[in-house]
């Protein structure tokens, strides 16, 4: 992946030149990776959009609330126009934590936990759809969730994991 993105060094000059047209975007994340790319001296990858509740849509002044279908569709259209080479998704993982199941069992309002999980599943489904589009475009995605989060067991994530070329990596 680093080779294709245009790693530094004389042996990768051609790839680095081509990489200048490559874009990295983030969803469910304030500008973290994209902000770091802007600070880098060598511009091998261009920073794309970073969409998150903490970021405001300049067209309407509202945050990127992906619980709203209009914001999801707008983000989907942005991804299609920009066609990022790498799309990083970091949807909230709280509802998929194994601790949440223990909390739900002890809760006086287990329905609230079920509703939070339903909303969280919709966000994962949305990201899985965008990742699938990335694959269809011949591009990459990185989904960031804890290793033992139950989100990995959802059908959309399982379908992605079964796709050719998709691998799971465990980081610290």
């Amino acid at each position: 992946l680093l080779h294709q993105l245009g790693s530094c060094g004389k042996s990768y000059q051609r790839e680095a030149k081509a990489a200048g047209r490559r874009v990295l975007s983030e969803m469910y994340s304030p500008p973290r990776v994209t902000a770091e790319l802007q600070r880098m001296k060598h511009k091998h990858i261009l920073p794309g959009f970073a969409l998150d509740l903490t970021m405001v849509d300049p067209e309407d002044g509202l945050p990127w609330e992906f619980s709203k279908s209009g914001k999801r569709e707008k983000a989907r259209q942005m991804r299609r126009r920009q066609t990022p080479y790498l799309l990083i998704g970091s949807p909230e993982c709280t509802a998929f934590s194994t601790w949440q199941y223990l909390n739900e069992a002890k809760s006086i309002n287990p329905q609230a936990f079920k509703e939070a999980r339903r909303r969280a599943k919709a966000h994962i489904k949305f990201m899985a759809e965008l990742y699938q589009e990335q694959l269809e475009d011949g591009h990459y995605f990185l989904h960031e969730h804890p290793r033992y989060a139950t989100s990995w067991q959802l059908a959309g994530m399982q379908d992605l994991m079964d796709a050719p070329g998709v691998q799971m990596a465990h980081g610290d």
Side-chain angles (χ1 to χ4, degrees):
L1 179 62
L2 288 176
H3 173 75
Q4 289 181 339
L5 289 174
S7 183
C8 294
K10 280 193 168 234
S11 60
Y12 296 110
Q13 284 180 343
R14 182 181 42 167
E15 289 82 1
K17 199 173 204 178
R21 296 183 301 272
R22 301 215 170 109
V23 176
L24 181 146
S25 294
E26 314 177 69
M27 295 201 49
Y28 291 93
S29 175
R32 290 185 187 128
V33 180
T34 53
E36 192 60 37
L37 288 174
Q38 287 177 334
R39 284 190 285 272
M40 290 175 63
K41 180 180 174 185
H42 302 286
K43 301 286 186 188
H44 299 298
I45 305 169
L46 300 173
F49 56 77
L51 308 179
D52 182 66
L53 275 172
T54 62
M55 303 303 295
V56 175
D57 179 349
E59 288 182 14
D60 60 14
L62 298 173
W64 287 96
E65 170 56 74
F66 294 123
S67 294
K68 299 180 182 190
S69 63
K71 290 293 182 186
R72 286 193 307 271
E73 189 53 36
K74 194 170 189 179
R76 187 184 318 274
Q77 293 305 320
M78 283 178 72
R79 194 220 65 82
R80 288 176 181 162
R81 275 192 310 276
Q82 190 179 87
T83 61
Y85 195 68
L86 176 64
L87 178 65
I88 300 174
S90 304
E92 188 176 346
C93 58
T94 306
F96 302 108
S97 163
T98 52
W99 285 103
Q100 289 295 25
Y101 287 95
L102 296 173
N103 291 337
E104 181 181 347
K106 294 180 180 182
S107 173
I108 58 171
N109 187 3
Q111 192 58 35
F113 284 89
K114 288 181 177 142
E115 178 59 23
R117 198 163 21 259
R118 185 196 62 74
R119 286 192 312 269
K121 284 180 181 179
H123 291 287
I124 296 290
K125 180 179 183 243
F126 171 56
M127 282 311 305
E129 291 168 357
L130 295 180
Y131 296 150
Q132 189 61 47
E133 288 185 15
Q134 283 290 110
L135 291 175
E136 290 167 5
D137 289 345
H139 295 164
Y140 297 94
F141 71 89
L142 178 114
H143 179 73
E144 187 273 320
H145 253 206
R147 181 178 185 177
Y148 297 108
T150 58
S151 57
W152 295 108
Q153 299 165 8
L154 297 174
M157 293 307 297
Q158 286 294 307
D159 290 344
L160 281 169
M161 298 300 295
D162 292 340
V166 174
Q167 300 174 9
M168 178 186 272
H170 304 285
D172 192 3

